[in-house]
Amino acid sequence: VQLQASGGGLVQAGSSLTLSCQASGRTFVNYAMGWFRQASGKERVFVAGISWGLSSYYSDSARGRFTIPRDNAKNTVYLQMNSLKAEDTAVYYCAAKSGGIVVSPGPYEYWGQGTLVTVSS
């Protein structure tokens, strides 16, 4: 599976932004998809994930503000981010794995290249 993330940019605090992750290669529908982020100088952390069965899971920081819809017909997963805060500034990565959602980045088999989100306060 090849993953291409896009949609990052510079936004003001309180605004919304939607990231996209386009998959190609193997059957997208069979994979759980996750979004992770990595702030400068920090480790990569889980943000949100969605299973092939459309069950979703969110980090505490994302829950209530972010959603992770996926469109299997378009081989695309999104990260819809609302009420953005300065602390959401990071490089965001999409990732895919077989099986269910996990919050650790280690089990994810495929990664996109990352897209930078900068939230100005």
mmCIF file of all heavy atoms in Angstrom, residues 64-120:
data_model
loop_
_atom_site.group_PDB
_atom_site.id
_atom_site.type_symbol
_atom_site.label_atom_id
_atom_site.label_comp_id
_atom_site.label_asym_id
_atom_site.label_seq_id
_atom_site.Cartn_x
_atom_site.Cartn_y
_atom_site.Cartn_z
ATOM 1 N N GLY A 64 -13.827 14.588 20.167
ATOM 2 C CA GLY A 64 -14.731 15.729 20.242
ATOM 3 C C GLY A 64 -14.394 16.855 19.283
ATOM 4 O O GLY A 64 -15.235 17.723 19.027
ATOM 5 N N ARG A 65 -13.168 16.863 18.756
ATOM 6 C CA ARG A 65 -12.762 17.916 17.815
ATOM 7 C C ARG A 65 -12.432 17.360 16.433
ATOM 8 O O ARG A 65 -12.630 18.048 15.424
ATOM 9 C CB ARG A 65 -11.538 18.660 18.342
ATOM 10 C CG ARG A 65 -11.748 19.402 19.644
ATOM 11 C CD ARG A 65 -10.554 20.294 19.968
ATOM 12 N NE ARG A 65 -9.317 19.520 20.111
ATOM 13 C CZ ARG A 65 -8.180 19.814 19.496
ATOM 14 N NH1 ARG A 65 -8.103 20.859 18.677
ATOM 15 N NH2 ARG A 65 -7.114 19.070 19.700
ATOM 16 N N PHE A 66 -11.937 16.149 16.386
ATOM 17 C CA PHE A 66 -11.504 15.544 15.124
ATOM 18 C C PHE A 66 -12.416 14.364 14.785
ATOM 19 O O PHE A 66 -12.937 13.681 15.665
ATOM 20 C CB PHE A 66 -10.074 15.021 15.225
ATOM 21 C CG PHE A 66 -9.013 16.051 15.475
ATOM 22 C CD1 PHE A 66 -9.303 17.404 15.605
ATOM 23 C CD2 PHE A 66 -7.685 15.655 15.570
ATOM 24 C CE1 PHE A 66 -8.318 18.348 15.834
ATOM 25 C CE2 PHE A 66 -6.680 16.583 15.790
ATOM 26 C CZ PHE A 66 -6.999 17.924 15.933
ATOM 27 N N THR A 67 -12.573 14.123 13.490
ATOM 28 C CA THR A 67 -13.237 12.908 13.028
ATOM 29 C C THR A 67 -12.409 12.282 11.913
ATOM 30 O O THR A 67 -11.647 12.982 11.232
ATOM 31 C CB THR A 67 -14.666 13.172 12.525
ATOM 32 O OG1 THR A 67 -14.612 14.138 11.453
ATOM 33 C CG2 THR A 67 -15.565 13.680 13.623
ATOM 34 N N ILE A 68 -12.580 10.974 11.727
ATOM 35 C CA ILE A 68 -11.770 10.229 10.757
ATOM 36 C C ILE A 68 -12.672 9.406 9.847
ATOM 37 O O ILE A 68 -12.764 8.186 9.981
ATOM 38 C CB ILE A 68 -10.710 9.356 11.473
ATOM 39 C CG1 ILE A 68 -9.818 8.641 10.452
ATOM 40 C CG2 ILE A 68 -11.337 8.403 12.484
ATOM 41 C CD1 ILE A 68 -8.608 7.917 11.062
ATOM 42 N N PRO A 69 -13.321 10.038 8.893
ATOM 43 C CA PRO A 69 -14.118 9.273 7.943
ATOM 44 C C PRO A 69 -13.227 8.622 6.884
ATOM 45 O O PRO A 69 -12.105 9.087 6.628
ATOM 46 C CB PRO A 69 -15.008 10.343 7.303
ATOM 47 C CG PRO A 69 -14.211 11.595 7.404
ATOM 48 C CD PRO A 69 -13.399 11.488 8.649
ATOM 49 N N ARG A 70 -13.699 7.560 6.330
ATOM 50 C CA ARG A 70 -12.975 6.932 5.220
ATOM 51 C C ARG A 70 -13.960 6.644 4.099
ATOM 52 O O ARG A 70 -15.121 6.319 4.340
ATOM 53 C CB ARG A 70 -12.257 5.645 5.641
ATOM 54 C CG ARG A 70 -13.133 4.478 6.029
ATOM 55 C CD ARG A 70 -12.307 3.319 6.586
ATOM 56 N NE ARG A 70 -11.503 2.649 5.570
ATOM 57 C CZ ARG A 70 -10.564 1.737 5.854
ATOM 58 N NH1 ARG A 70 -10.309 1.419 7.107
ATOM 59 N NH2 ARG A 70 -9.876 1.173 4.881
ATOM 60 N N ASP A 71 -13.482 6.779 2.883
ATOM 61 C CA ASP A 71 -14.283 6.510 1.694
ATOM 62 C C ASP A 71 -13.590 5.376 0.954
ATOM 63 O O ASP A 71 -12.613 5.600 0.235
ATOM 64 C CB ASP A 71 -14.369 7.770 0.832
ATOM 65 C CG ASP A 71 -15.304 7.608 -0.361
ATOM 66 O OD1 ASP A 71 -15.525 6.460 -0.783
ATOM 67 O OD2 ASP A 71 -15.785 8.626 -0.867
ATOM 68 N N ASN A 72 -14.077 4.169 1.141
ATOM 69 C CA ASN A 72 -13.428 3.013 0.537
ATOM 70 C C ASN A 72 -13.515 3.033 -0.981
ATOM 71 O O ASN A 72 -12.639 2.498 -1.666
ATOM 72 C CB ASN A 72 -14.019 1.724 1.091
ATOM 73 C CG ASN A 72 -13.626 1.472 2.533
ATOM 74 O OD1 ASN A 72 -12.573 1.934 2.992
ATOM 75 N ND2 ASN A 72 -14.461 0.758 3.258
ATOM 76 N N ALA A 73 -14.546 3.651 -1.516
ATOM 77 C CA ALA A 73 -14.677 3.733 -2.976
ATOM 78 C C ALA A 73 -13.582 4.613 -3.572
ATOM 79 O O ALA A 73 -13.166 4.416 -4.715
ATOM 80 C CB ALA A 73 -16.047 4.273 -3.346
ATOM 81 N N LYS A 74 -13.111 5.579 -2.787
ATOM 82 C CA LYS A 74 -12.055 6.486 -3.252
ATOM 83 C C LYS A 74 -10.692 6.128 -2.675
ATOM 84 O O LYS A 74 -9.718 6.844 -2.899
ATOM 85 C CB LYS A 74 -12.408 7.923 -2.883
ATOM 86 C CG LYS A 74 -13.653 8.452 -3.574
ATOM 87 C CD LYS A 74 -13.909 9.908 -3.195
ATOM 88 C CE LYS A 74 -15.117 10.463 -3.934
ATOM 89 N NZ LYS A 74 -15.388 11.876 -3.582
ATOM 90 N N ASN A 75 -10.630 5.044 -1.905
ATOM 91 C CA ASN A 75 -9.364 4.648 -1.267
ATOM 92 C C ASN A 75 -8.761 5.802 -0.474
ATOM 93 O O ASN A 75 -7.538 6.015 -0.495
ATOM 94 C CB ASN A 75 -8.359 4.158 -2.315
ATOM 95 C CG ASN A 75 -8.708 2.795 -2.861
ATOM 96 O OD1 ASN A 75 -9.640 2.156 -2.399
ATOM 97 N ND2 ASN A 75 -7.961 2.357 -3.847
ATOM 98 N N THR A 76 -9.600 6.507 0.238
ATOM 99 C CA THR A 76 -9.155 7.710 0.933
ATOM 100 C C THR A 76 -9.669 7.734 2.366
ATOM 101 O O THR A 76 -10.822 7.382 2.623
ATOM 102 C CB THR A 76 -9.619 8.972 0.188
ATOM 103 O OG1 THR A 76 -9.118 8.948 -1.151
ATOM 104 C CG2 THR A 76 -9.105 10.225 0.878
ATOM 105 N N VAL A 77 -8.806 8.145 3.265
ATOM 106 C CA VAL A 77 -9.210 8.401 4.635
ATOM 107 C C VAL A 77 -8.911 9.871 4.917
ATOM 108 O O VAL A 77 -7.940 10.434 4.392
ATOM 109 C CB VAL A 77 -8.481 7.472 5.626
ATOM 110 C CG1 VAL A 77 -6.979 7.709 5.620
ATOM 111 C CG2 VAL A 77 -9.025 7.641 7.031
ATOM 112 N N TYR A 78 -9.739 10.469 5.712
ATOM 113 C CA TYR A 78 -9.619 11.891 6.014
ATOM 114 C C TYR A 78 -9.407 12.104 7.514
ATOM 115 O O TYR A 78 -9.731 11.241 8.324
ATOM 116 C CB TYR A 78 -10.892 12.623 5.586
ATOM 117 C CG TYR A 78 -11.259 12.413 4.135
ATOM 118 C CD1 TYR A 78 -12.125 11.384 3.767
ATOM 119 C CD2 TYR A 78 -10.754 13.247 3.139
ATOM 120 C CE1 TYR A 78 -12.460 11.179 2.434
ATOM 121 C CE2 TYR A 78 -11.092 13.048 1.811
ATOM 122 C CZ TYR A 78 -11.948 12.014 1.462
ATOM 123 O OH TYR A 78 -12.284 11.815 0.145
ATOM 124 N N LEU A 79 -8.899 13.241 7.842
ATOM 125 C CA LEU A 79 -8.875 13.686 9.231
ATOM 126 C C LEU A 79 -9.467 15.084 9.238
ATOM 127 O O LEU A 79 -8.826 16.033 8.778
ATOM 128 C CB LEU A 79 -7.463 13.688 9.809
ATOM 129 C CG LEU A 79 -7.398 14.037 11.296
ATOM 130 C CD1 LEU A 79 -8.073 12.947 12.140
ATOM 131 C CD2 LEU A 79 -5.955 14.243 11.754
ATOM 132 N N GLN A 80 -10.682 15.175 9.724
ATOM 133 C CA GLN A 80 -11.363 16.463 9.811
ATOM 134 C C GLN A 80 -11.082 17.051 11.181
ATOM 135 O O GLN A 80 -11.438 16.459 12.197
ATOM 136 C CB GLN A 80 -12.865 16.275 9.580
ATOM 137 C CG GLN A 80 -13.189 15.750 8.187
ATOM 138 C CD GLN A 80 -14.665 15.459 7.995
ATOM 139 O OE1 GLN A 80 -15.394 15.213 8.946
ATOM 140 N NE2 GLN A 80 -15.117 15.473 6.743
ATOM 141 N N MET A 81 -10.437 18.180 11.190
ATOM 142 C CA MET A 81 -10.001 18.798 12.435
ATOM 143 C C MET A 81 -10.716 20.122 12.639
ATOM 144 O O MET A 81 -10.659 21.003 11.775
ATOM 145 C CB MET A 81 -8.479 19.015 12.402
ATOM 146 C CG MET A 81 -7.692 17.741 12.136
ATOM 147 S SD MET A 81 -5.902 17.981 12.201
ATOM 148 C CE MET A 81 -5.659 18.976 10.723
ATOM 149 N N ASN A 82 -11.367 20.237 13.776
ATOM 150 C CA ASN A 82 -12.092 21.460 14.125
ATOM 151 C C ASN A 82 -11.501 22.057 15.390
ATOM 152 O O ASN A 82 -10.803 21.374 16.161
ATOM 153 C CB ASN A 82 -13.574 21.152 14.331
ATOM 154 C CG ASN A 82 -14.236 20.593 13.091
ATOM 155 O OD1 ASN A 82 -14.048 21.106 11.987
ATOM 156 N ND2 ASN A 82 -15.000 19.527 13.266
ATOM 157 N N SER A 83 -11.795 23.321 15.611
ATOM 158 C CA SER A 83 -11.346 24.013 16.823
ATOM 159 C C SER A 83 -9.862 23.807 17.066
ATOM 160 O O SER A 83 -9.434 23.442 18.163
ATOM 161 C CB SER A 83 -12.164 23.532 18.027
ATOM 162 O OG SER A 83 -13.548 23.734 17.822
ATOM 163 N N LEU A 84 -9.092 24.034 16.049
ATOM 164 C CA LEU A 84 -7.660 23.770 16.145
ATOM 165 C C LEU A 84 -6.986 24.670 17.169
ATOM 166 O O LEU A 84 -7.363 25.831 17.354
ATOM 167 C CB LEU A 84 -7.004 23.935 14.778
ATOM 168 C CG LEU A 84 -7.249 22.757 13.819
ATOM 169 C CD1 LEU A 84 -6.970 23.157 12.385
ATOM 170 C CD2 LEU A 84 -6.396 21.572 14.227
ATOM 171 N N LYS A 85 -5.990 24.100 17.818
ATOM 172 C CA LYS A 85 -5.233 24.801 18.850
ATOM 173 C C LYS A 85 -3.764 24.843 18.444
ATOM 174 O O LYS A 85 -3.308 24.027 17.634
ATOM 175 C CB LYS A 85 -5.368 24.065 20.184
ATOM 176 C CG LYS A 85 -6.798 23.806 20.631
ATOM 177 C CD LYS A 85 -6.824 22.947 21.885
ATOM 178 C CE LYS A 85 -8.247 22.647 22.328
ATOM 179 N NZ LYS A 85 -8.284 21.791 23.544
ATOM 180 N N ALA A 86 -3.040 25.733 19.058
ATOM 181 C CA ALA A 86 -1.611 25.832 18.755
ATOM 182 C C ALA A 86 -0.902 24.513 19.025
ATOM 183 O O ALA A 86 0.025 24.133 18.303
ATOM 184 C CB ALA A 86 -0.986 26.954 19.573
ATOM 185 N N GLU A 87 -1.345 23.791 20.041
ATOM 186 C CA GLU A 87 -0.706 22.514 20.384
ATOM 187 C C GLU A 87 -1.003 21.402 19.391
ATOM 188 O O GLU A 87 -0.458 20.306 19.508
ATOM 189 C CB GLU A 87 -1.089 22.071 21.802
ATOM 190 C CG GLU A 87 -2.570 22.081 22.080
ATOM 191 C CD GLU A 87 -3.012 23.358 22.778
ATOM 192 O OE1 GLU A 87 -2.565 24.468 22.371
ATOM 193 O OE2 GLU A 87 -3.812 23.243 23.731
ATOM 194 N N ASP A 88 -1.870 21.658 18.416
ATOM 195 C CA ASP A 88 -2.092 20.694 17.345
ATOM 196 C C ASP A 88 -1.034 20.814 16.246
ATOM 197 O O ASP A 88 -1.010 20.001 15.321
ATOM 198 C CB ASP A 88 -3.475 20.894 16.718
ATOM 199 C CG ASP A 88 -4.610 20.594 17.673
ATOM 200 O OD1 ASP A 88 -4.515 19.593 18.410
ATOM 201 O OD2 ASP A 88 -5.587 21.372 17.695
ATOM 202 N N THR A 89 -0.171 21.795 16.349
ATOM 203 C CA THR A 89 0.885 21.971 15.356
ATOM 204 C C THR A 89 1.812 20.772 15.349
ATOM 205 O O THR A 89 2.358 20.372 16.386
ATOM 206 C CB THR A 89 1.691 23.237 15.669
ATOM 207 O OG1 THR A 89 0.844 24.383 15.512
ATOM 208 C CG2 THR A 89 2.885 23.365 14.740
ATOM 209 N N ALA A 90 1.962 20.170 14.174
ATOM 210 C CA ALA A 90 2.777 18.963 14.041
ATOM 211 C C ALA A 90 2.795 18.540 12.575
ATOM 212 O O ALA A 90 2.025 19.052 11.756
ATOM 213 C CB ALA A 90 2.199 17.820 14.880
ATOM 214 N N VAL A 91 3.656 17.587 12.285
ATOM 215 C CA VAL A 91 3.568 16.866 11.016
ATOM 216 C C VAL A 91 2.619 15.703 11.234
ATOM 217 O O VAL A 91 2.790 14.932 12.181
ATOM 218 C CB VAL A 91 4.947 16.370 10.558
ATOM 219 C CG1 VAL A 91 4.808 15.554 9.269
ATOM 220 C CG2 VAL A 91 5.897 17.538 10.346
ATOM 221 N N TYR A 92 1.637 15.592 10.365
ATOM 222 C CA TYR A 92 0.625 14.553 10.477
ATOM 223 C C TYR A 92 0.905 13.464 9.453
ATOM 224 O O TYR A 92 1.148 13.745 8.263
ATOM 225 C CB TYR A 92 -0.765 15.133 10.256
ATOM 226 C CG TYR A 92 -1.268 15.908 11.446
ATOM 227 C CD1 TYR A 92 -0.721 17.135 11.802
ATOM 228 C CD2 TYR A 92 -2.276 15.396 12.266
ATOM 229 C CE1 TYR A 92 -1.148 17.838 12.911
ATOM 230 C CE2 TYR A 92 -2.727 16.099 13.372
ATOM 231 C CZ TYR A 92 -2.157 17.319 13.690
ATOM 232 O OH TYR A 92 -2.595 18.009 14.798
ATOM 233 N N TYR A 93 0.851 12.227 9.921
ATOM 234 C CA TYR A 93 1.123 11.070 9.088
ATOM 235 C C TYR A 93 -0.092 10.152 9.056
ATOM 236 O O TYR A 93 -0.709 9.922 10.101
ATOM 237 C CB TYR A 93 2.296 10.265 9.630
ATOM 238 C CG TYR A 93 3.612 10.998 9.674
ATOM 239 C CD1 TYR A 93 3.974 11.746 10.786
ATOM 240 C CD2 TYR A 93 4.502 10.923 8.607
ATOM 241 C CE1 TYR A 93 5.191 12.416 10.836
ATOM 242 C CE2 TYR A 93 5.720 11.587 8.640
ATOM 243 C CZ TYR A 93 6.056 12.330 9.764
ATOM 244 O OH TYR A 93 7.262 12.981 9.803
ATOM 245 N N CYS A 94 -0.404 9.615 7.896
ATOM 246 C CA CYS A 94 -1.379 8.545 7.841
ATOM 247 C C CYS A 94 -0.631 7.218 7.739
ATOM 248 O O CYS A 94 0.513 7.169 7.264
ATOM 249 C CB CYS A 94 -2.341 8.715 6.678
ATOM 250 S SG CYS A 94 -1.589 8.747 5.033
ATOM 251 N N ALA A 95 -1.284 6.183 8.211
ATOM 252 C CA ALA A 95 -0.655 4.874 8.260
ATOM 253 C C ALA A 95 -1.697 3.789 8.099
ATOM 254 O O ALA A 95 -2.878 4.011 8.394
ATOM 255 C CB ALA A 95 0.096 4.701 9.583
ATOM 256 N N ALA A 96 -1.271 2.638 7.657
ATOM 257 C CA ALA A 96 -2.177 1.515 7.424
ATOM 258 C C ALA A 96 -1.604 0.248 8.037
ATOM 259 O O ALA A 96 -0.386 0.048 8.060
ATOM 260 C CB ALA A 96 -2.391 1.320 5.925
ATOM 261 N N LYS A 97 -2.488 -0.585 8.508
ATOM 262 C CA LYS A 97 -2.085 -1.878 9.055
ATOM 263 C C LYS A 97 -3.207 -2.876 8.830
ATOM 264 O O LYS A 97 -4.383 -2.520 8.775
ATOM 265 C CB LYS A 97 -1.768 -1.794 10.552
ATOM 266 C CG LYS A 97 -2.949 -1.459 11.420
ATOM 267 C CD LYS A 97 -2.592 -1.490 12.919
ATOM 268 C CE LYS A 97 -2.173 -2.838 13.417
ATOM 269 N NZ LYS A 97 -3.286 -3.812 13.409
ATOM 270 N N SER A 98 -2.844 -4.111 8.749
ATOM 271 C CA SER A 98 -3.842 -5.164 8.724
ATOM 272 C C SER A 98 -4.332 -5.374 10.152
ATOM 273 O O SER A 98 -3.652 -5.012 11.119
ATOM 274 C CB SER A 98 -3.230 -6.441 8.148
ATOM 275 O OG SER A 98 -2.060 -6.790 8.835
ATOM 276 N N GLY A 99 -5.521 -5.945 10.272
ATOM 277 C CA GLY A 99 -6.075 -6.138 11.599
ATOM 278 C C GLY A 99 -6.724 -4.875 12.127
ATOM 279 O O GLY A 99 -7.122 -3.999 11.371
ATOM 280 N N GLY A 100 -6.861 -4.789 13.446
ATOM 281 C CA GLY A 100 -7.582 -3.692 14.055
ATOM 282 C C GLY A 100 -6.725 -2.478 14.365
ATOM 283 O O GLY A 100 -5.524 -2.437 14.097
ATOM 284 N N ILE A 101 -7.387 -1.480 14.923
ATOM 285 C CA ILE A 101 -6.714 -0.238 15.291
ATOM 286 C C ILE A 101 -5.853 -0.471 16.526
ATOM 287 O O ILE A 101 -6.284 -1.103 17.487
ATOM 288 C CB ILE A 101 -7.747 0.855 15.628
ATOM 289 C CG1 ILE A 101 -8.711 1.078 14.464
ATOM 290 C CG2 ILE A 101 -7.041 2.160 15.993
ATOM 291 C CD1 ILE A 101 -9.934 1.888 14.854
ATOM 292 N N VAL A 102 -4.652 0.064 16.497
ATOM 293 C CA VAL A 102 -3.834 0.132 17.694
ATOM 294 C C VAL A 102 -3.283 1.546 17.799
ATOM 295 O O VAL A 102 -3.160 2.238 16.788
ATOM 296 C CB VAL A 102 -2.685 -0.902 17.690
ATOM 297 C CG1 VAL A 102 -3.251 -2.309 17.660
ATOM 298 C CG2 VAL A 102 -1.760 -0.678 16.509
ATOM 299 N N VAL A 103 -2.941 1.969 18.990
ATOM 300 C CA VAL A 103 -2.486 3.352 19.169
ATOM 301 C C VAL A 103 -0.975 3.477 19.051
ATOM 302 O O VAL A 103 -0.458 4.583 18.930
ATOM 303 C CB VAL A 103 -2.975 3.926 20.508
ATOM 304 C CG1 VAL A 103 -4.501 3.924 20.563
ATOM 305 C CG2 VAL A 103 -2.381 3.166 21.686
ATOM 306 N N SER A 104 -0.283 2.376 19.097
ATOM 307 C CA SER A 104 1.157 2.429 18.944
ATOM 308 C C SER A 104 1.518 2.498 17.466
ATOM 309 O O SER A 104 0.927 1.793 16.649
ATOM 310 C CB SER A 104 1.799 1.189 19.563
ATOM 311 O OG SER A 104 3.176 1.144 19.267
ATOM 312 N N PRO A 105 2.498 3.302 17.077
ATOM 313 C CA PRO A 105 2.869 3.386 15.662
ATOM 314 C C PRO A 105 3.595 2.148 15.153
ATOM 315 O O PRO A 105 3.591 1.882 13.953
ATOM 316 C CB PRO A 105 3.768 4.623 15.602
ATOM 317 C CG PRO A 105 4.282 4.796 16.982
ATOM 318 C CD PRO A 105 3.214 4.308 17.902
ATOM 319 N N GLY A 106 4.203 1.383 16.038
ATOM 320 C CA GLY A 106 5.024 0.253 15.626
ATOM 321 C C GLY A 106 4.355 -0.749 14.713
ATOM 322 O O GLY A 106 4.958 -1.162 13.713
ATOM 323 N N PRO A 107 3.131 -1.176 15.015
ATOM 324 C CA PRO A 107 2.478 -2.204 14.186
ATOM 325 C C PRO A 107 2.003 -1.742 12.817
ATOM 326 O O PRO A 107 1.611 -2.572 12.005
ATOM 327 C CB PRO A 107 1.292 -2.620 15.059
ATOM 328 C CG PRO A 107 1.675 -2.264 16.449
ATOM 329 C CD PRO A 107 2.466 -0.998 16.302
ATOM 330 N N TYR A 108 2.023 -0.450 12.562
ATOM 331 C CA TYR A 108 1.541 0.020 11.264
ATOM 332 C C TYR A 108 2.575 -0.305 10.201
ATOM 333 O O TYR A 108 3.767 0.008 10.347
ATOM 334 C CB TYR A 108 1.217 1.503 11.319
ATOM 335 C CG TYR A 108 -0.074 1.751 12.065
ATOM 336 C CD1 TYR A 108 -0.114 1.742 13.460
ATOM 337 C CD2 TYR A 108 -1.263 1.950 11.376
ATOM 338 C CE1 TYR A 108 -1.307 1.924 14.141
ATOM 339 C CE2 TYR A 108 -2.463 2.148 12.051
ATOM 340 C CZ TYR A 108 -2.470 2.134 13.438
ATOM 341 O OH TYR A 108 -3.664 2.313 14.105
ATOM 342 N N GLU A 109 2.123 -0.894 9.139
ATOM 343 C CA GLU A 109 3.019 -1.429 8.117
ATOM 344 C C GLU A 109 3.370 -0.406 7.048
ATOM 345 O O GLU A 109 4.433 -0.498 6.433
ATOM 346 C CB GLU A 109 2.351 -2.636 7.452
ATOM 347 C CG GLU A 109 1.993 -3.751 8.438
ATOM 348 C CD GLU A 109 0.888 -4.641 7.902
ATOM 349 O OE1 GLU A 109 1.152 -5.408 6.953
ATOM 350 O OE2 GLU A 109 -0.246 -4.551 8.399
ATOM 351 N N TYR A 110 2.483 0.515 6.790
ATOM 352 C CA TYR A 110 2.670 1.456 5.694
ATOM 353 C C TYR A 110 2.442 2.875 6.200
ATOM 354 O O TYR A 110 1.535 3.117 7.003
ATOM 355 C CB TYR A 110 1.695 1.146 4.544
ATOM 356 C CG TYR A 110 1.770 -0.284 4.073
ATOM 357 C CD1 TYR A 110 0.847 -1.225 4.507
ATOM 358 C CD2 TYR A 110 2.785 -0.688 3.200
ATOM 359 C CE1 TYR A 110 0.916 -2.540 4.091
ATOM 360 C CE2 TYR A 110 2.863 -2.000 2.776
ATOM 361 C CZ TYR A 110 1.928 -2.925 3.226
ATOM 362 O OH TYR A 110 2.013 -4.233 2.805
ATOM 363 N N TRP A 111 3.255 3.797 5.687
ATOM 364 C CA TRP A 111 3.193 5.181 6.139
ATOM 365 C C TRP A 111 3.208 6.132 4.953
ATOM 366 O O TRP A 111 3.917 5.889 3.959
ATOM 367 C CB TRP A 111 4.395 5.488 7.039
ATOM 368 C CG TRP A 111 4.312 4.819 8.368
ATOM 369 C CD1 TRP A 111 4.726 3.547 8.687
ATOM 370 C CD2 TRP A 111 3.760 5.367 9.557
ATOM 371 N NE1 TRP A 111 4.453 3.279 10.006
ATOM 372 C CE2 TRP A 111 3.867 4.381 10.571
ATOM 373 C CE3 TRP A 111 3.180 6.598 9.882
ATOM 374 C CZ2 TRP A 111 3.421 4.591 11.868
ATOM 375 C CZ3 TRP A 111 2.746 6.809 11.177
ATOM 376 C CH2 TRP A 111 2.867 5.815 12.154
ATOM 377 N N GLY A 112 2.448 7.209 5.092
ATOM 378 C CA GLY A 112 2.529 8.298 4.141
ATOM 379 C C GLY A 112 3.706 9.194 4.492
ATOM 380 O O GLY A 112 4.379 8.999 5.515
ATOM 381 N N GLN A 113 3.933 10.195 3.703
ATOM 382 C CA GLN A 113 5.126 11.022 3.840
ATOM 383 C C GLN A 113 4.972 12.143 4.862
ATOM 384 O O GLN A 113 5.956 12.760 5.213
ATOM 385 C CB GLN A 113 5.505 11.641 2.483
ATOM 386 C CG GLN A 113 4.746 12.900 2.135
ATOM 387 C CD GLN A 113 3.312 12.673 1.719
ATOM 388 O OE1 GLN A 113 2.771 11.574 1.772
ATOM 389 N NE2 GLN A 113 2.658 13.745 1.289
ATOM 390 N N GLY A 114 3.771 12.386 5.343
ATOM 391 C CA GLY A 114 3.575 13.444 6.317
ATOM 392 C C GLY A 114 3.165 14.758 5.682
ATOM 393 O O GLY A 114 3.617 15.094 4.583
ATOM 394 N N THR A 115 2.315 15.485 6.384
ATOM 395 C CA THR A 115 1.898 16.807 5.928
ATOM 396 C C THR A 115 1.886 17.729 7.148
ATOM 397 O O THR A 115 1.402 17.353 8.215
ATOM 398 C CB THR A 115 0.528 16.749 5.226
ATOM 399 O OG1 THR A 115 0.197 18.033 4.701
ATOM 400 C CG2 THR A 115 -0.589 16.270 6.151
ATOM 401 N N LEU A 116 2.443 18.901 7.008
ATOM 402 C CA LEU A 116 2.652 19.810 8.127
ATOM 403 C C LEU A 116 1.411 20.661 8.376
ATOM 404 O O LEU A 116 0.903 21.306 7.457
ATOM 405 C CB LEU A 116 3.849 20.708 7.861
ATOM 406 C CG LEU A 116 4.150 21.785 8.912
ATOM 407 C CD1 LEU A 116 4.484 21.152 10.258
ATOM 408 C CD2 LEU A 116 5.288 22.685 8.433
ATOM 409 N N VAL A 117 0.981 20.657 9.623
ATOM 410 C CA VAL A 117 -0.101 21.529 10.063
ATOM 411 C C VAL A 117 0.475 22.502 11.086
ATOM 412 O O VAL A 117 1.062 22.074 12.086
ATOM 413 C CB VAL A 117 -1.252 20.725 10.698
ATOM 414 C CG1 VAL A 117 -2.296 21.655 11.298
ATOM 415 C CG2 VAL A 117 -1.880 19.799 9.662
ATOM 416 N N THR A 118 0.310 23.772 10.825
ATOM 417 C CA THR A 118 0.780 24.807 11.736
ATOM 418 C C THR A 118 -0.416 25.649 12.147
ATOM 419 O O THR A 118 -1.108 26.201 11.295
ATOM 420 C CB THR A 118 1.840 25.702 11.080
ATOM 421 O OG1 THR A 118 2.919 24.887 10.614
ATOM 422 C CG2 THR A 118 2.373 26.714 12.076
ATOM 423 N N VAL A 119 -0.636 25.729 13.452
ATOM 424 C CA VAL A 119 -1.756 26.488 13.984
ATOM 425 C C VAL A 119 -1.203 27.694 14.726
ATOM 426 O O VAL A 119 -0.479 27.539 15.713
ATOM 427 C CB VAL A 119 -2.632 25.637 14.916
ATOM 428 C CG1 VAL A 119 -3.847 26.433 15.384
ATOM 429 C CG2 VAL A 119 -3.061 24.354 14.216
ATOM 430 N N SER A 120 -1.539 28.861 14.247
ATOM 431 C CA SER A 120 -1.053 30.087 14.882
ATOM 432 C C SER A 120 -2.055 30.553 15.928
ATOM 433 O O SER A 120 -3.270 30.487 15.718
ATOM 434 C CB SER A 120 -0.835 31.170 13.833
ATOM 435 O OG SER A 120 -2.061 31.499 13.214
#
